[in-house]
Amino acid sequence: MKALLYYGPRDIRYEDKPIPEPGPGEVVIKVGAALTCGTDFKAYRQGHAILLGEGPSPFGHEVSGTVHALGNPAPSFQPGERVVAANSAPCDRCAACQRGESNLCETLVLHNGAYAEYMRIPRHIAKHNLHKIPPSLSFESAAMAEPLACVLRCLSKLGIREGDELAVIGTGKMGLLLIHVASRLGARVTAIGRTPEKLEAARVCGARETLVLSKPEDLPKPPGIGRESPFGFPLIVEAVGKTETWRLAIALAKKGARVCLYGGCAIGAEVPVDSYKIHYHELTLIGCFHHTPKDFSRAVEMLKNGEIQTELFIEEQVALSDLKSIFENQMMNPRKLAVIP
Ligand SMILES: [Zn+2]
Ligand SMILES: [Zn+2]
């Protein structure tokens, strides 16, 4: 089979590999569609200790396809069934998994290999995070389940309910997906970004209001957003992953606000916080990482029910053979593409 492998930062290779054999409890799928993700482009540029580690490594993690072969003992799937797989699964043994916080599993391994004609699905993923999909759901829409699961985890940690007022900072693919899903769940979303063009995309995804802001210093004052200002939001998501937008998220928090810091900053980044605000305004700062099987199965259900307009996020279909040059040429402005082997 053909596969795109990651060897190290800015070194990916399109190679011939043997079709994987399923081990006990495993499934091998014939890839129907794999989506590119901002994280893949980031990993390509600078490496990614958690996602890929040392190369050479299989690459790509948002995937759907058809069951090709089953290991012995076989999980409860049949050859030819259409499925979508997550990129991790709980070990079932560690304290975090037993608490139901399997996104924090002590042995969390992120599984890659979607940029290939065939992909092996390890036993734990086959057991917890491999779902059948109906013919009505396209492979490329189904492959949105992984990023959607991450978004659902964020929104459930915030406790989003119908009618809630939410600000989302960031209009990249994840920011737009957060805006779209939160709007679908009934939140009134204000999108915050750097450019009017991106904010227009946010409106298409469901934002009711938009604000051009990128750092706390952009905030108007007075009357502005000071310590006692009534301006601000009760619920905020930061979906950029920069220290200035983390500061902006905290600066925009109203009294009693919950702030989800969804975008991961560079390793070692530190963010100063206003201790007065945290203490006297009772802010809750929430970290958020990855997803659990509950989030993933909810994501699959929403996709099956047609609740998510996946066409808003997937820009184009490309061939697996073209993906290497796409990575090499679109490093700084990654698009969400459906890769069809
Ligand atoms: Zn992803
Ligand atoms: Zn675990």
Side-chain angles (χ1 to χ4, degrees), residues 89-98 101-108:
C91 76
D92 290 332
R93 285 192 293 271
C94 75
C97 282
Q98 294 196 349
E101 293 175 336
S102 52
N103 58 312
L104 303 178
C105 175
E106 286 162 22
T107 56
L108 185 78

Side-chain angles (χ1 to χ4, degrees), residues 229-250:
S229 163
F231 187 89
F233 297 89
L235 295 166
I236 299 160
V237 180
E238 194 279 358
V240 179
K242 290 193 172 151
T243 55
E244 63 264 31
T245 38
W246 276 46
R247 287 193 296 121
L248 177 63
I250 297 165

Side-chain angles (χ1 to χ4, degrees), residues 13-320:
R13 302 181 201 172
Y14 186 57
E15 293 186 341
D16 285 305
K17 299 293 286 182
I19 294 175
E21 297 278 341
E26 294 186 341
V27 176
V28 169
I29 63 169
K30 184 174 194 309
V31 174
L35 304 181
T36 61
C37 162
T39 308
D40 294 329
F41 283 92
K42 191 159 101 178
Y44 170 72
R45 284 197 310 272
Q46 62 194 43
H48 197 302
I50 299 174
L51 187 72
L52 293 167
E54 296 277 306
S57 162
F59 195 25
H61 63 273
E62 298 178 7
V63 67
S64 64
T66 311
V67 174
H68 169 72
L70 299 161
N72 183 18
S76 52
F77 290 90
Q78 298 296 325
E81 277 177 335
R82 302 170 83 249
V83 290
V84 59
N87 57 340
S88 72
C91 76
D92 290 332
R93 285 192 293 271
C94 75
C97 282
Q98 294 196 349
R99 282 198 309 272
E101 293 175 336
S102 52
N103 58 312
L104 303 178
C105 175
E106 286 162 22
T107 56
L108 185 78
V109 176
L110 297 182
H111 188 62
N112 289 281
Y115 300 150
E117 289 179 281
Y118 294 85
M119 181 182 185
R120 184 184 63 85
I121 307 297
R123 188 169 54 91
H124 276 97
I125 298 180
K127 182 175 166 196
H128 293 286
N129 267 340
L130 184 65
H131 292 260
K132 292 171 196 168
I133 53 169
S136 56
L137 185 62
S138 70
F139 283 130
E140 55 183 83
S141 289
M144 284 286 294
E146 196 276 327
L148 180 57
C150 296
V151 159
L152 289 171
R153 172 150 194 91
C154 167
L155 297 176
S156 74
K157 287 201 89 174
L158 275 174
I160 287 280
R161 285 171 309 191
E162 196 159 350
D164 276 346
E165 204 190 327
L166 169 74
V168 175
I169 302 172
T171 52
K173 279 290 171 296
M174 272 312 209
L176 294 177
L177 187 57
L178 274 157
I179 289 163
H180 185 62
V181 180
S183 306
R184 283 292 161 106
L185 297 176
R188 300 172 57 88
V189 181
T190 298
I192 298 176
R194 279 184 306 180
T195 65
E197 300 76 57
K198 287 288 197 77
L199 290 171
E200 191 45 46
R203 277 195 190 273
V204 173
C205 290
R208 300 216 189 169
E209 305 290 338
T210 58
L211 274 175
V212 177
L213 285 173
S214 62
K215 53 188 182 304
E217 293 72 25
D218 296 340
L219 295 171
K221 52 176 119 145
I225 305 164
R227 282 181 175 165
E228 310 300 343
S229 163
F231 187 89
F233 297 89
L235 295 166
I236 299 160
V237 180
E238 194 279 358
V240 179
K242 290 193 172 151
T243 55
E244 63 264 31
T245 38
W246 276 46
R247 287 193 296 121
L248 177 63
I250 297 165
L252 283 167
K254 259 187 175 170
K255 281 188 176 175
R258 297 199 296 278
V259 182
C260 184
L261 300 158
Y262 181 86
C265 296
I267 290 171
E270 293 190 4
V271 179
V273 295
D274 181 343
S275 61
Y276 177 99
K277 238 188 124 158
I278 306 272
H279 179 77
Y280 291 102
H281 291 189
E282 280 202 348
L283 302 191
T284 305
L285 305 185
I286 303 168
C288 183
F289 168 67
H290 202 50
H291 50 71
T292 65
K294 194 172 147 207
D295 304 312
F296 192 76
S297 67
R298 187 163 169 230
V300 175
E301 282 309 307
M302 287 183 89
L303 291 164
K304 280 199 233 173
N305 297 337
E307 292 174 64
I308 303 299
Q309 284 176 262
T310 54
E311 69 280 7
L312 291 173
F313 307 97
I314 302 167
E315 291 164 87
E316 202 185 322
Q317 284 193 355
V318 299
L320 177 62

